[in-house]
Amino acid sequence: MTYITKPKLHHPSLVKNQVGYTRRDYEGAISTLCAGCGHDSITAAIVSACFELDIEPHKVAKLSGIGCSSKTPTYFLGNSHGFNTVHGRMPSVLTGANLANRELIYMGVSGDGDSASIGIGQFAHSMRRGVNMVYIVENNGVYGLTKGQFSATADKGSKSKRGAVNTDDCIDLVMMALQLGATFVARSFSGDKAQLVPIIKAAILHRGAAFLDVISPCVAFNNHEGSTKSYDFVRDHNDAVNRIDFIEPRAEITTDYAAGSLQEVRQHDGKVLRLRKLSEDYDPTDRIGAMNYLLQRQAAGEVVTGVLYLDQDSQDLHGSLNTVGKSFNRLTEAELIPGSAALEKINATLR
Amino acid sequence: MVKAITNTNDFVVKFANVNGSGSASANELFARAILRMGVPVSPRNIFPSNIQGLPTWYEVRVNEKGYLGRRGGVDLMVAMNPQTWAQDLRELEPGGYLFFDSSKPLPKSRFRDDVNVIGVPLTEICNSTYTDVRQRQLFKNIIYVGALAALLEMDIPEIEKLFGEQYKGKEKLLGANVKALKLGYDYAKEHLQCPLGIRVQRANNVRDKIFIEGNNAAALGCVYGGATVCAWYPITPSSSLAEAFIRHCQKLRVDPVSGKNRFGIIQAEDELASIGMVVGAGWNGARAFTATSGPGISLMTEFIGLAYFAEIPATIINVQRGGPATGMPTRTQQADITACAYAGHGDSKHVLLFPEDPKECFEMSAQSLDLADRLQTPVFVMTDLDIGMNQRLCDPLKWDDKYQMDRGKVMDYDALEGGKDFGRYLDADGDGIPFRTYPGTHPTKGAYFTRGTTKDRYARYSEEGPVYVDNMQRLLKKFETAKRLVPAAIGRPAKQPTKLGVLYFGSTAPAMNEALDAFDVQGINVDAMRVRGFPFGEEVIEFLEDHEQVFVVEQNRDGQLRSLIMNEAATDGSKLIPILHYDGTPITARFIIGEIAEKVAILKVTPIRKVAN
Ligand SMILES: Cc1ncc(C[n+]2csc(CCOP(=O)(O)OP(=O)(O)O)c2C)c(N)n1
Ligand code: SF4
Ligand SMILES: [Mg+2]
């Protein structure tokens, strides 16, 4: 097998978005993952989000680690540069790429093995640095690509396909992201497109480290009875705290909402996120409150989803480093090299 | 009577201090004052892996001829650390001088019969002059510099001038330092026989040379070479390189209008992350580097392999030190040659540059950024602790204002729009180097998916054998191209034609230069060649072919450069004779001369005295 491309025969009736692209222009090569794999649904959600946000595909850089999840950047945005790096190290490569050119949108795709085990250090540090990116963990609780070993996000007591029980406590990347200072934290489910697509859109629009934990069942190794990352389990235990209805500048309210059920969150660029509350007293702008809520609900065996935390005045790494507006990769000799006269002066101080 | 070494402008002074006692700046003042008298010096820090309390040494070789290698042996010991007294005393040459704090009387048994003892009651002078504890400590150092100035006949006005430069605008400090200096000077003049048999005499051998640490120079090289991204993780002896880069950028790289930075420096969480960031920035078209040492290279190895296969520019400055863990690692070695040349998994090999001094650290760091872009591959600058963390006298740094960064083969919007065939891993020009595009260049053309090995010439996924082999062969061709681009080796022929040769590299150079001069005098004819880059150029191959026996001088146990030569230059190993120094101290001319002279004798090579014509 070599390379599979989709025939690029554009149907004339395919609608174009505001930047002149059809949905097909946001797709990539045909997926080689197992039929029914949650990761493919996330790929589709990314395609929809970018199409609907009118993003020019080549303005996105896709980076990933290693794993089935990390393969997916091949399957979306075929006209974007992509980089399949090494296992667990996507965050550092993305950080460097982001430093080099601040004008692109950075999409980092990882798996639970990639981010919660081998790459937990890089995950943590990219959060605390506030790298401007969308960091998606396609979380299936197993190592898909190496054939079904438990990952560090597998819940204690959950069963492997062969019946082994996981005795280790699980790492909750959402809690870690909250604790480490991520400025946008959400959890969703690959099987809930209506919730997932707007969350990805909001994450793209967010300035700073946006972390998405998307539960994404592995049909080959972790979709059985006794797994807490199966389609059935997540559907039965999904505690969605809110849904994003709109992300628009000065959006008009056209739907009727029950009093107190609506929360509008202004973003740094003036765009407004309108959240429909599903849980009465959940406030996604309260980091500590969010952590408390998560701990409580998770203790009760629920999977909390939605926009869990959002900092309206977020900063990013470029802000902390006080870098120039022009991307580093376009700076010229005149802007970078101090010249011989300056060097002479330095020489003079060294005698 | 005890014999006394007599020598003008040619001796070694060693300061034995307690770490954290503020001696470093006083010792540097001493070295600089001699430089200002036009006499070359080369100081070396010898420090243990700790911050405060443990011993540290500063060894200054004063040498009018300008030999900057470590000499070995000590003529004047400034023994300021009671802890290391016995060991320090032992190191003195017979007839040498022992300078010590005589405030407390010491029994005769603590001394040696064959050295000259110079006591100055430093603590007493301090205690009677200063009340503040910190002042007593700091000025004690300046007082001994004052006393040494008298003993060695150094120019007091030169030292005062140095104070003036250091404490410009801080008149109070200036006055206090001058006072302390005079205290020591006057005490020595009054109570001791000045000068000693060893002394400094004004000369004119420093001229416009500068005195700079290799790490500082390398950092400047990265500024001048256009690096915008630096990602690093602290490790001795490389940390001061990244720290110098920060300082230089803050002075030289801030946009004067907006006050914003034209650089991004990240202290990463570990070396895995620092190299990852460099690779990410390089992939995205910014010039990026990291500075590290051996253990860091080990951690970076997976990424270095990826960068080799994915063909991503990356500059890695390896300030080499001793082996794993802590302790020896704060000593110098050239022991990462193999680790760097072949870092990675799968078949990979890398470009290495070997600077001999700070000036070359500057030049090669800048050049490495060009080479990395041109060759789209990791490039190592292989410096070491000896060059990196010691101030070394060298020619002033020079810059050509006509310089333009060589960004290598980058296809831009116009080329793509014009329909130029873009294959990310396609050898378009026959030199093995493909074109690349930066992310975001063109809406529909030039995008590709970057991965390690599994791809064809157009970066399409492929697991087919012939496709893999095709790519690997092109990488070899690219490595051939690199041979013509790395800095060429520099030869120094012997006085007479000879079949004996010697190869050396990096920080061995000053000791080697001195040894070669000695060979000239002794009539031992050895052609020398200083290797400056890997892959080896034609000139190295020819040198190997032209000589029957070639000494390979290096500062490691296993003869790593020698192995590299055998591996990559197809040379019969039996003609390569290893000369190895690896105890953690910098190699000396004495060592090289001894080893080579002995081996020449064993080889029964009679130097050819007549020129065959
Ligand atoms: C350094 C290193 N160690 C081990 C591997 C083998 N490996 C490949 S993918 C993987 C786990 C992937 O799990 P996850 O990130 O959860 O992705 P999934 O396949 O489940 O989507 C492992 C251990 C590797 N590629 N590199
Ligand atoms: S093994 Fe699991 S994670 Fe991998 S493609 Fe198949 S279903 Fe998806
Ligand atoms: Mg997984």
Side-chain angles (χ1 to χ4, degrees), chain A residues 259-336:
Chain A
S261 71
L262 198 69
Q263 184 169 17
E264 292 203 335
V265 188
R266 181 191 43 80
Q267 297 273 76
H268 73 277
D269 57 357
K271 286 204 172 69
V272 172
L273 251 195
R274 186 176 302 149
L275 294 172
R276 182 153 44 86
K277 284 191 172 187
L278 298 178
S279 171
E280 258 313 301
D281 38 42
Y282 192 86
D283 176 8
T285 62
D286 173 6
R287 191 186 288 269
I288 296 165
M291 291 169 85
N292 275 329
Y293 184 89
L294 280 166
L295 283 174
Q296 280 163 20
R297 301 304 299 156
Q298 277 166 18
E302 296 297 300
V303 182
V304 182
T305 62
V307 176
L308 304 175
Y309 177 70
L310 207 169
D311 177 351
Q312 302 171 69
D313 303 307
S314 56
Q315 262 281 1
D316 83 327
L317 180 64
H318 280 279
S320 338
L321 293 179
N322 189 35
T323 55
V324 284
K326 186 173 173 185
S327 283
F328 288 168
N329 68 356
R330 292 194 291 117
L331 292 174
T332 60
E333 282 83 358
E335 290 158 309
L336 294 175

Side-chain angles (χ1 to χ4, degrees), chain A residues 1-3 21 58-59 61-64 70-71 73-74 78-87 89 92-93 95-101 104 106 121-122 125-126 129 317 321-325 328-329 331-344 346-347 349-351, chain B residues 32 36 208-212 220 223-224 226 228-229 252-253 255 259-269 272-273 276-277 279-281 283-286 302-303 306 312 362 396-399 401 403-405 437-440 442-444 446-451 460-462 464:
Chain A
M1 183 217 62
T2 47
Y3 165 71
Y21 293 92
H58 70 294
K59 296 292 184 198
K62 321 167 279 185
L63 296 102
S64 62
S70 292
K71 281 181 163 205
T74 330
N79 275 323
S80 306
H81 278 68
F83 195 165
N84 203 178
T85 68
V86 290
H87 194 21
R89 318 291 173 209
S92 62
V93 180
T95 302
N98 183 297
L99 276 180
N101 183 357
L104 302 179
Y106 291 90
Q122 298 212 341
H125 288 274
S126 66
R129 286 191 190 103
L317 180 64
L321 293 179
N322 189 35
T323 55
V324 284
F328 288 168
N329 68 356
L331 292 174
T332 60
E333 282 83 358
E335 290 158 309
L336 294 175
I337 303 175
S340 60
L343 196 58
E344 262 319 308
I346 293 170
N347 280 328
T349 64
L350 298 166
R351 289 187 176 117
Chain B
R32 277 186 182 277
R36 289 292 175 95
D208 68 340
K209 286 202 165 65
I210 59 167
F211 192 51
I212 184 174
L220 263 176
V223 174
Y224 275 76
T228 48
V229 172
L252 302 167
R253 279 281 192 78
D255 182 312
K260 300 232 174 220
N261 298 332
R262 293 175 181 146
F263 59 92
I265 301 166
I266 296 192
Q267 185 188 315
E269 56 271 32
L272 297 167
M277 290 172 195
V279 166
W283 174 74
N284 217 355
E302 186 185 15
F303 256 127
L306 176 78
I312 294 165
F362 172 77
L397 309 180
K398 288 228 152 39
W399 193 254
D401 287 323
Y403 167 80
Q404 290 204 312
M405 294 187 274
T437 53
Y438 298 154
H442 191 283
T444 54
Y448 65 96
F449 201 76
T450 313
R451 42 170 85 79
R460 292 174 300 213
Y461 190 89
S462 168
E464 279 171 32

Side-chain angles (χ1 to χ4, degrees), chain B residues 114-170:
Chain B
D114 60 344
V115 301
N116 303 280
V117 175
I118 309 155
V120 176
L122 294 167
T123 307
E124 222 175 272
I125 299 176
C126 276
N127 289 357
S128 62
T129 317
Y130 307 102
T131 46
D132 180 73
V133 180
R134 186 70 192 147
Q135 276 192 337
R136 281 179 177 170
Q137 165 99 76
L138 287 179
F139 287 126
K140 190 197 274 186
N141 301 323
I142 302 297
I143 293 170
Y144 73 59
V145 173
L148 290 175
L151 290 163
L152 298 173
E153 226 169 33
M154 290 161 61
D155 272 5
I156 285 290
E158 289 293 2
I159 306 181
E160 288 178 347
K161 232 197 276 171
L162 284 166
F163 278 144
E165 292 162 23
Q166 191 181 349
Y167 300 112
K168 211 151 124 200
K170 299 174 194 155

